[in-house]
């Protein structure tokens, strides 16, 4: 963990890890759990039953009326279907599959490059390519940005893909252009990967390696020179972000005719050493950590994602998802402890905020649960959720936590207003 | 601190049913949102650093005025902590002495007193600082005014004589003129301050409060705090600039009546205010432009009071006045990136 510099008058500098680690492919696990988002009608996966046998790469959908699905990452038998509630109350169906022998590949996926096929099969491949936005009539997408850098510190998944999988990326870019009909595909990479990226056929732009420069909104502003306003999403502003890993996976899928089912992720142990591994989507965190000889203890933190924006979760039984870019294990002594002290107005957060939010005031309104005022007066929705304010907070207020809760509550208020008004 | 405040416990958001093998009961992980790193700064560290930075000036004061000075400082710190503790208990909050904030308040208040201040003044002053200045507003972070200065202002208004440094330090005979420079200035104009050398004043060879006269020590401590990022340099430097410029203008207008800028910088409470009082977190702005305005205006006010006001040293009043303007000033801020300005 980077400590406050002795000369505290300068802003803290946190840098991305731009030199990717080696990749090790882990053996297929005995069991995977896939989290299938429930459809809006709450329909549980009645198309999926315990005892069904599934093949690797098979699409498992919910009941008719929902477009959500998962892709089985092993061949075997479904041994469990159970409800699961995620962060902020999002409801999933957890499908557990016990492995049974060799991988047999499902042949449902056709190599025909069309948006329809992409939406039907490619949204659960590593990196979760967001194809759904292209059929959203409210949004006109004009350009695609491929992020060749991981969004959080320590992680090097996308850097690794850019360095090692130029061929797949090239094919992925071609296919993206073909099925979306868009010509403007931009790849943003750190300085040291410009050469590899330049062979992919995408327009290459450089991004700085200082946190939080690779967060999408920061890329929009610093690299593309377009400020996305607080009230709109990046997609509404006409741009969609793909991770480099997703694009490479698209390329691989169309090359081989088999859906990629292995996710690359960075595993960081308590000693701070990082390592990239490729695991089947749905492997339990415990399996991955055991394969990496990373031990965990009571009161550790098991962080899904990176150290700044990741979520410390509660069980080693939880699965790796197609969007899990890292697992960070942190001992209790190293982890940031929060207090319930009030803001002392030291102003560290105001100095460090990349979008110039007066966090000292914002946090007061959030603590008082005045979410609408927090947004109107103190720019709640401008926040890019980098977490730097929490990182420097002298009072050790969990500022980012308050912000996320505030945004969530605000969205509830706004939805209910839209419904009732 | 506040018992009534509840953090949303994220466990409630994860009702994951354990699988057949169950969550390994012996291993419980801590659930939390990011960031999971912290730069290590905390309130107590900050306050201990402020105490360390104040030490040179305090030690000089103690070496000049001896045991009484030590007594005042020690009593002031102890009383401040006791008042804090009493208020914690009365208000049913958890004990907050450990954060060092009461200790700093007590220390700074003691530094503003003459060595001869009687015990009841210290007791009353710390009561004013901690209870009236801070705790009734909700404790650390909520005080709209600078606690030691509020206490000082209340005492100066109520017990004028105690802060008449000429009278208070009558019985001391150190190796420099035992008259309060600012009082001389007020009474006799620049003619009255001819005997003070600027260098000597800066080195602490002047009568005054225990911890406020040793300019060099205060400056070293202040620069330490500036560099460590524990105080906001914008406020300190603009305050000094405000004093300098205003004093210079006065001096140019009538150099027989008004002292030069350097004199104002090294006398009275100027340096302790610049580095220890005015950048107090809660009562000062955090945005760049407001910090500059805040500092400069406080400097201007100080010299105005010194030169044409009723009080010998305007520091407590000028800063308290600006403290009141702080919430308004801090509204001047850059537009957040992505903010949409709605045209009503
Ligand atoms: S997380 Fe904090 S520092 Fe980052 S953008 Fe949001 S308010 Fe600013
Ligand atoms: S860093 Fe924390 S204590 Fe300091 S002003 Fe920001 S929110 Fe308040």
């Amino acid at each position: 963990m980077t400590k406050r510099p002795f000369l505290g008058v300068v802003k803290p500098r946190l840098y991305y890890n731009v030199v990717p680690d080696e990749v090790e492919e882990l053996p297929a696990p005995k069991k995977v759990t896939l989290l299938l988002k429930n459809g809006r009608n709450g329909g549980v996966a009645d198309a999926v039953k315990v005892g069904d046998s599934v093949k690797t790469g098979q699409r498992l959908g919910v009941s008719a009326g929902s477009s959500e699905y998962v892709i089985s990452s092993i061949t075997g038998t479904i041994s469990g279907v159970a409800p699961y509630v995620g962060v902020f109350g999002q409801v999933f169906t957890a499908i557990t599959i016990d492995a049974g022998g060799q991988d047999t590949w499902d042949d449902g996926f056709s190599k025909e490059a069309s948006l329809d096929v992409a939406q039907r099969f490619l949204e659960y491949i590593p990196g979760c390519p967001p194809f759904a936005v292209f059929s959203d009539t409210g949004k006109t997408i004009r350009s695609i940005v491929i992020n060749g850098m991981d969004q959080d510190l320590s992680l090097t998944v996308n850097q690794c893909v850019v360095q090692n999988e130029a061929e797949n990326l090239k094919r992925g870019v071609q296919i993206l252009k073909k099925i979306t009909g868009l010509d403007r595909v931009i790849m943003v990479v750190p300085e040291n990967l410009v050469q590899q990226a330049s062979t992919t056929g995408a327009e290459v732009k450089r991004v700085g390696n200082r946190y939080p420069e690779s967060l999408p909104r920061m890329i929009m502003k610093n690299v593309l020179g377009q400020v996305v306003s607080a009230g709109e999403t990046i997609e509404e502003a006409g741009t969609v972000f793909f991770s480099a890993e997703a694009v490479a996976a698209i390329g691989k899928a169309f090359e081989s005719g088999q859906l990629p089912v292995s996710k690359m992720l960075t595993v960081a142990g308590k000693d701070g050493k990082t390592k990239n591994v490729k695991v089947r989507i749905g492997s339990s965190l415990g399996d991955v950590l055991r394969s990496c000889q990373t031990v965990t203890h009571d009161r550790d933190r098991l962080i899904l994602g990176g150290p700044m924006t990741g979520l410390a979760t509660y069980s080693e039984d939880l699965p790796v998802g197609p969007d899990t870019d890292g697992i960070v294990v942190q001992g209790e002594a190293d982890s940031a402890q929060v207090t319930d002290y009030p803001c002392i107005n030291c102003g560290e957060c105001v100095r460090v905020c990349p979008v110039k939010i007066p966090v000292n005031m914002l946090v007061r309104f959030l603590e008082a649960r005045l979410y609408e005022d927090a947004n109107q007066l103190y720019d709640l929705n401008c926040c890019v959720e980098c977490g730097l304010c929490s990182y420097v907070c002298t009072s050790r207020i969990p500022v980012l936590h308050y912000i996320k809760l505030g945004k969530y509550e605000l969205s509830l208020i706004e939805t209910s207003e839209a419904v009732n008004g | 601190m506040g018992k009534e405040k509840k953090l949303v416990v994220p466990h409630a958001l994860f009702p994951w049913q354990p699988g057949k093998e169950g969550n390994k009961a012996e291993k419980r992980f801590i659930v939390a949102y990011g960031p999971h790193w912290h730069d290590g700064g905390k309130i107590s560290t900050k306050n201990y650093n402020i105490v360390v930075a104040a030490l040179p000036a305090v030690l000089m004061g103690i070496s000049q005025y001896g045991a009484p000075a030590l007594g005042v400082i020690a009593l002031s710190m102890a009383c401040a902590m006791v008042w804090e503790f009493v208020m914690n208990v009365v208000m049913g909050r958890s004990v907050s002495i450990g954060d060092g904030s009461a200790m700093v308040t007590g220390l700074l208040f003691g530094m503003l007193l003459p060595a001869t201040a009687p015990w009841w003044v210290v007791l009353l002053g710390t009561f004013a600082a901690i209870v009236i200045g801070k705790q009734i507003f909700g404790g650390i972070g909520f005080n709209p005014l600078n606690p030691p200065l509020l206490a000082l202002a209340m005492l100066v208004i109520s017990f004028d004589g105690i802060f008449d440094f000429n009278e208070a330090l009558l019985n001391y005979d150190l190796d420099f003129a035992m008259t309060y420079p600012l009082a001389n200035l007020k009474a006799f104009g620049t003619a009255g301050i001819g005997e003070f050398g600027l260098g000597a004043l800066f080195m602490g060879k002047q009568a005054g409060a225990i911890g406020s006269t040793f300019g060099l020590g205060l400056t070293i401590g202040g620069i330490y705090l500036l560099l460590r990022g524990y105080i906001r340099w914008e406020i300190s430097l603009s305050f000094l600039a405000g004093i300098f410029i205003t004093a210079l203008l006065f001096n140019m207008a009538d150099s027989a009546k008004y002292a030069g800028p350097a004199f104002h910088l090294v006398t009275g409470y100027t340096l302790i205010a610049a580095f220890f009082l005015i950048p107090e977190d809660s009562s000062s702005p955090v945005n760049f432009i407001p910090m500059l305005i805040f500092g400069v205006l406080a400097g201007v006010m100080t010299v105005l009071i010194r030169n044409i006001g009723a009080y010998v040293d305007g520091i407590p009043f000028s800063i308290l006045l600006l403290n009141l303007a702080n919430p308004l000033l801090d509204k001047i801020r850059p537009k957040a990136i992505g903010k949409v300005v709605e045209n009503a």
Side-chain angles (χ1 to χ4, degrees):
Chain A
M1 158 153 61
T2 318
K3 286 293 174 197
R4 182 189 171 91
F6 183 79
L7 292 179
V9 72
V10 296
K11 281 193 202 174
R13 288 161 192 274
L14 297 172
Y15 292 100
Y16 289 104
N17 190 357
V18 288
V19 184
D21 298 301
E22 296 295 309
V23 193
E24 184 193 337
E25 178 129 20
L26 299 184
K30 297 232 161 26
K31 193 175 88 173
V32 295
T33 307
L34 305 171
L35 296 178
L36 170 56
K37 229 181 271 167
N38 278 14
R40 225 169 300 149
N41 51 8
V44 180
D46 52 12
V48 180
K49 283 186 280 308
V50 174
D52 285 359
S53 56
V54 290
K55 293 179 185 166
T56 311
Q58 185 174 337
R59 181 181 188 275
L60 304 172
V62 201
S63 57
S66 166
S67 55
E68 303 293 347
Y69 59 91
V70 295
I71 301 292
S72 172
S73 55
I74 53 173
T75 301
T77 323
I78 294 180
S79 65
V81 177
Y84 166 67
V85 182
V87 189
F88 291 124
Q90 202 172 22
V91 198
F92 296 86
T93 304
I95 302 172
T96 310
I97 305 168
D98 286 343
Q102 286 294 312
D103 276 330
T104 336
W105 285 86
D106 186 75
D107 53 9
F109 171 64
S110 71
K111 279 169 59 175
E112 177 205 349
S114 74
L115 191 55
D116 189 47
V117 169
Q119 284 173 349
R120 264 184 74 73
F121 289 98
L122 296 182
E123 292 202 318
Y124 201 77
I125 61 172
C128 294
F131 283 112
V133 293
F134 293 105
S135 50
D136 187 336
T137 44
K139 295 161 190 156
T140 323
I141 303 295
R142 286 180 296 273
S143 44
I144 296 175
V145 175
I146 303 173
N147 196 349
M149 183 134 100
D150 276 31
Q151 292 183 24
D152 210 327
L153 300 169
S154 299
L155 312 183
T156 53
V157 172
N158 288 316
Q159 288 91 313
C160 196
V161 169
V162 176
Q163 185 164 61
N164 303 330
E165 299 188 34
E167 273 306 303
N168 289 333
L169 277 171
K170 189 173 174 185
R171 197 164 299 106
V173 171
Q174 277 167 5
I175 288 162
L176 266 184
K177 284 185 177 170
K178 184 164 170 225
I179 64 182
T180 62
L182 292 172
D183 237 10
R184 189 144 194 253
V185 178
I186 301 154
M187 175 152 3
V188 288
V189 289
E191 185 71 44
N192 59 323
L193 295 174
V194 168
Q195 213 194 331
Q196 286 89 332
S198 61
T199 62
T200 59
E203 182 185 342
V204 177
K205 297 214 182 214
R206 282 155 232 252
V207 62
N209 63 348
R210 180 162 164 201
Y211 191 77
E213 283 181 82
S214 109
L215 294 184
R217 278 175 193 261
M218 301 311 290
I219 291 180
M220 288 300 287
K221 171 176 159 283
N222 298 337
V223 181
L224 305 182
Q226 181 189 355
V227 174
V228 181
S229 68
E232 63 179 356
T233 59
I234 295 175
E235 289 82 17
E236 280 162 353
T239 303
V240 61
F241 272 73
F242 280 72
S243 68
E245 190 191 24
V247 177
I250 295 167
K252 220 184 323 180
F254 282 98
E255 159 78 2
S256 64
Q258 292 175 344
L259 293 172
V261 291
S262 292
K263 173 80 182 95
M264 195 196 300
L265 46 86
T266 304
V267 177
K270 282 190 216 175
D271 51 3
K273 287 214 182 76
T274 54
K275 170 175 183 181
N276 283 346
V277 292
K278 250 186 164 169
V279 302
R280 296 291 172 101
I281 291 171
S283 307
S284 75
L285 304 180
D287 281 346
V288 177
L289 292 176
R290 272 187 291 279
S291 311
C292 296
Q293 278 101 40
T294 304
V295 280
T296 55
H297 297 103
D298 196 33
R299 304 191 70 74
D300 280 354
R301 283 189 193 187
L302 193 60
I303 301 161
L304 290 178
M308 293 302 280
T309 56
L311 182 70
T313 191
Y314 57 93
S315 169
E316 283 187 332
D317 297 336
L318 286 171
V320 169
D323 54 354
T324 307
D325 288 331
I327 306 176
V328 179
V329 180
Q330 197 182 41
E332 196 184 12
D334 296 326
S335 41
Q337 306 295 336
V338 299
T339 70
D340 59 352
Y341 252 69
C343 166
I344 59 163
N345 211 43
C346 68
E348 297 275 343
C349 50
V350 179
R351 278 177 204 271
V352 88
C353 178
V355 293
K356 304 188 190 158
I357 292 176
V359 190
N360 63 325
M361 294 306 293
L362 176 63
V363 79
R364 286 172 164 78
F365 278 76
L366 293 177
E367 282 182 327
R369 306 186 187 188
L370 300 171
Y371 302 117
E372 283 164 306
D373 289 343
N375 189 34
Q376 273 154 24
L377 304 174
Y378 295 107
D379 317 325
L380 174 62
N381 274 339
C382 292
C383 169
V384 297
E385 301 183 12
C386 65
L388 282 172
C389 47
S390 302
Y391 173 77
V392 298
C393 181
T394 310
S395 280
R396 305 204 171 184
I397 301 171
V399 190
L400 181 60
H401 190 161
Y402 274 122
I403 288 176
K404 285 193 163 178
L405 181 68
K407 284 185 171 180
Y408 173 70
E409 294 282 347
L410 189 65
S411 73
L412 290 188
I413 295 171
E414 280 166 357
T415 343
S416 78
E417 268 172 9
V419 170
N420 299 330
Chain B
M1 195 162 61
K3 271 183 195 149
E4 69 288 347
K5 227 180 61 190
K6 261 206 206 91
L7 286 177
V8 174
V9 183
H11 294 77
L13 297 171
F14 299 96
W16 164 266
Q17 297 303 313
K20 290 217 181 62
E21 71 276 54
N23 291 343
K24 322 281 176 299
E26 73 279 10
K27 237 192 253 176
R28 295 155 304 158
F29 297 111
I30 305 293
V31 174
Y33 275 108
H36 306 279
W37 284 357
H38 192 276
D39 73 356
K42 54 179 176 194
I43 302 176
S44 50
T45 317
K46 177 178 180 134
N47 283 329
Y48 295 141
N49 270 284
I50 294 178
V51 171
V52 169
L55 274 185
V58 174
L59 292 179
M60 180 63 132
I62 293 173
S63 79
Q64 283 175 340
Y65 300 109
L70 180 63
V72 168
I73 296 278
L75 183 65
S76 178
M77 289 172 81
C79 286
M81 289 196 265
V82 169
W83 286 124
E84 175 105 347
F85 178 72
V86 169
M87 286 308 280
N88 288 155
V89 172
V90 169
M91 297 171 81
R93 293 169 175 249
S94 44
V95 176
S96 58
I97 294 180
D99 65 26
S101 154
M103 173 178 67
V104 167
T105 305
L107 175 66
L108 292 179
F109 180 68
M111 288 166 74
L112 300 174
L113 295 176
T116 50
W119 62 269
W120 54 270
V121 163
V122 180
L123 196 69
L124 216 59
T126 47
F127 175 83
I130 297 291
V131 180
I132 303 176
K134 194 173 107 180
Q135 287 296 342
I136 58 171
F137 290 106
I140 187 170
F142 292 107
N143 50 300
L145 303 169
N146 184 311
L149 281 180
L150 177 72
L152 181 71
M154 289 169 87
L155 292 178
V156 167
I157 294 171
S158 315
F159 311 102
D160 211 2
I162 292 165
F163 292 90
D164 182 338
F165 289 98
N166 288 341
E167 215 168 288
L169 303 176
L170 209 54
N171 295 329
Y172 278 96
D173 189 14
L174 302 178
D175 59 345
F176 47 83
M178 284 313 293
T179 51
Y180 191 50
L182 284 175
N184 275 20
L185 177 66
K186 191 126 235 168
F188 312 110
T190 29
I193 58 169
E195 56 181 314
F196 300 111
L198 281 179
L201 288 174
F202 190 59
M203 292 311 293
K205 295 196 183 309
Q206 56 173 312
I210 300 168
S212 315
T213 55
F214 184 31
L216 179 66
L218 290 167
T219 310
I220 290 174
I223 290 175
Y224 171 78
L225 291 179
L226 281 185
L227 292 179
R228 295 293 314 264
Y230 288 122
I231 56 175
R232 305 197 270 275
W233 61 269
E234 296 91 339
I235 301 177
S236 299
L237 299 189
S238 59
F239 175 68
L240 293 175
I243 289 193
F244 188 90
I245 293 166
T246 321
L248 184 66
L249 293 179
F250 269 105
N251 185 239
M252 281 174 2
D254 184 351
S255 62
K257 195 157 166 224
Y258 303 119
F263 178 81
H264 279 286
L265 288 184
V266 294
T267 52
Y269 291 131
T270 304
L271 287 170
I272 188 173
F275 295 118
F276 292 89
L277 299 173
I278 191 169
E280 196 268 334
D281 285 324
S282 171
S283 54
S284 59
V286 296
N287 290 304
F288 184 67
I289 306 279
M291 285 196 277
L292 297 185
I293 300 177
F294 181 84
V296 169
L297 284 185
V300 171
M301 287 291 304
T302 301
V303 178
L304 283 180
I305 296 176
R306 281 183 185 178
N307 280 351
I308 51 184
Y311 289 94
V312 169
D313 193 351
I315 295 262
F317 307 102
S318 62
I319 295 182
L320 288 173
L321 203 69
L322 264 294
N323 282 166
L324 290 175
N326 162 38
L328 211 58
L329 278 179
D330 221 8
K331 286 211 182 330
I332 308 170
R333 59 183 180 86
K335 189 173 101 109
I337 293 166
K339 175 88 175 170
V340 194
V341 184
E342 281 156 40
N343 300 315

